[in-house]
């Protein structure tokens, strides 16, 4: 039995990884949520809902490999429902949840209960990852086999590095044997200490403790070397330095099984954007100098950076309102990622939708063990409608996350996600 009425998306232009060119076409989705026809001038079934996509781009649903949904345990910051609403507003139709829930997801039974909660509360697929170490404490390996049998897409200690190289070695040996991806937070706590911003001109000017670039660079080099030694698959999270990226490029040339991700904020903001001690700009890793950002953009285009990931990490405005040194790291990112990248790069012709789809839809799905999605006949409907001529105002009122804390607050971004189709559902964004 069809569960929804058919929908005809009319006069849109379809984006894909195949080419920067867009294909003008209508897309017909049947009542089962399957794309049954693509072509110009399609006629609509009698009971179909017509969705006018004139001037708009139809884009395969994005997939975010790095999301902190805060539930269970920190529902004052975000819930699975508000996280999913933020994702849909941003054109994101699937995410990997970080395991830093309370309690941390470090065993098969905890993965199962987290996934049960997701199927109850989230309208979009959310895949629970597991911890590398028990309780994310960096002391003992977590129970890999139980988590592997529950199908975790990756293991990570979520914004904490594994401090001991011997423990990381054993984690990677087991991960290799279970064919699990190890996602590593690239930081060396002995160097970053209580740092709050990038160490350099800005930290000196603001009188804030700095996080030196070598804190990330040494962590990247160590984990690459351990991956080479063990043969494990390594994914480096939140690359932010040119020198760190260079290490990844050298390792890839040597055939190491390493991939890496960058966040939208590290691609479009520099440490110079930090003004008035605004804690919405406090990230770990921190915003870096312009030379690093230029290298990251080049790496994003040439493929040495594989994945865009938001590091969606909501904190309440109250938590972020403390002084810069003690405010938590991170911000909401799911609903601004696509408009930010469109605003800065796609609109300016720096790269096309094909590149963004590869980095934010296809590659992260492949890394997590899923098939990429495409707008094609016979496929499930999983795409969003983007109007490049419209705008996304980033305000407390318009944001869907429970914690509208973002460095883009108060900005108006060029382009807007008008709605997201997922199977038989259509989440129009007003
Ligand atoms: Zn994170």
């Amino acid at each position: 039995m069809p569960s929804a009425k058919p929908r005809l998306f009319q006069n849109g232009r379809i984006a894909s990884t195949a080419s920067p060119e867009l294909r003008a076409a209508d897309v017909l989705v049947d009542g089962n949520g399957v794309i049954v026809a693509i072509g110009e001038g399609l006629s609509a079934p009698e009971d179909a809902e017509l969705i006018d996509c004139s001037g708009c781009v139809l884009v395969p649903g994005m997939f975010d490999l790095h999301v902190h949904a805060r539930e269970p345990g920190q529902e004052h910051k975000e819930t699975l429902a508000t996280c999913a609403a933020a994702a849909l507003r941003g054109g994101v139709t699937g995410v990997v949840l970080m395991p830093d829930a309370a309690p941390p997801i470090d065993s098969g039974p905890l993965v199962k209960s987290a996934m049960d909660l997701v199927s109850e509360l989230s309208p979009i697929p959310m895949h629970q990852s597991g911890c590398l170490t028990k309780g994310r404490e960096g002391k003992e390996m977590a129970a890999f086999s139980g988590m592997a049998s529950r199908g975790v897409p990756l293991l990570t200690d979520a914004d904490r590095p594994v401090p001991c190289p011997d423990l990381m070695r054993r984690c990677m040996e087991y991960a290799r044997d279970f064919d699990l991806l190890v996602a590593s937070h690239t930081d060396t706590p002995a160097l970053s200490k209580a740092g709050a911003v990038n160490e350099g001109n800005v930290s000196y000017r603001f009188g804030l403790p700095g996080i030196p670039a070598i804190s990330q660079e040494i962590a990247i080099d160590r984990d690459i070397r351990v991956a080479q030694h063990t043969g494990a698959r390594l994914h480096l999270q939140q690359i932010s330095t040119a020198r760190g990226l260079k290490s990844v490029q050298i390792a890839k040339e040597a055939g190491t099984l390493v991939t890496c991700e960058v966040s939208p904020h590290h691609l479009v903001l520099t440490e110079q954007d930090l003004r008035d001690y605004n804690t919405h700009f406090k990230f770990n890793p921190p915003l870096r100098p312009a030379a690093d950002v230029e290298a990251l953009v080049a790496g994003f285009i040439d493929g040495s950076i594989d994945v865009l990931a938001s590091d969606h990490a909501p904190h309440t405005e109250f938590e972020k309102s403390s002084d810069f040194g003690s405010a938590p790291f991170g911000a909401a990112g799911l609903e601004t990622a696509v408009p930010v990248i469109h605003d800065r790069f796609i609109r300016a012709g720096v790269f096309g939708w094909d590149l963004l789809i590869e980095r934010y839809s296809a590659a992260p799905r492949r890394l997590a063990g899923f098939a990429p999605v495409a707008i094609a006949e016979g496929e499930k409907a999983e795409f969003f409608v983007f109007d490049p001529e419209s705008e996304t105002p980033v305000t407390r009122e318009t944001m869907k996350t429970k914690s509208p804390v973002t460095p883009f607050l108060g900005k108006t971004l060029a382009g807007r996600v008008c709605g997201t189709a997922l199977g038989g559902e259509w989440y129009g964004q007003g």
Side-chain angles (χ1 to χ4, degrees), residues 125 142 169 175 342 362 367 390 396:
R169 173 187 175 176
H342 172 263
L367 270 183
S390 185
R396 287 181 179 80

Side-chain angles (χ1 to χ4, degrees), residues 272-296:
Q272 299 295 334
D273 292 304
L274 186 72
R275 283 183 295 271
D276 304 327
Y277 297 91
N278 184 344
T279 58
H280 291 201
F281 292 77
K282 182 176 177 181
F283 292 99
N284 182 1
L287 300 176
R288 303 289 191 185
D292 288 304
V293 175
E294 284 166 24
L296 296 175

Side-chain angles (χ1 to χ4, degrees), residues 198-201 213 240-241 266 269-272 286-296:
N198 181 58
E199 182 181 285
N201 288 339
S240 66
T241 62
H266 286 116
L269 299 174
T270 75
E271 58 172 356
Q272 299 295 334
L287 300 176
R288 303 289 191 185
D292 288 304
V293 175
E294 284 166 24
L296 296 175

Side-chain angles (χ1 to χ4, degrees), residues 66 68 98 159 311:
H66 192 152
H68 304 265
M98 291 294 102
D159 298 12
D311 192 11

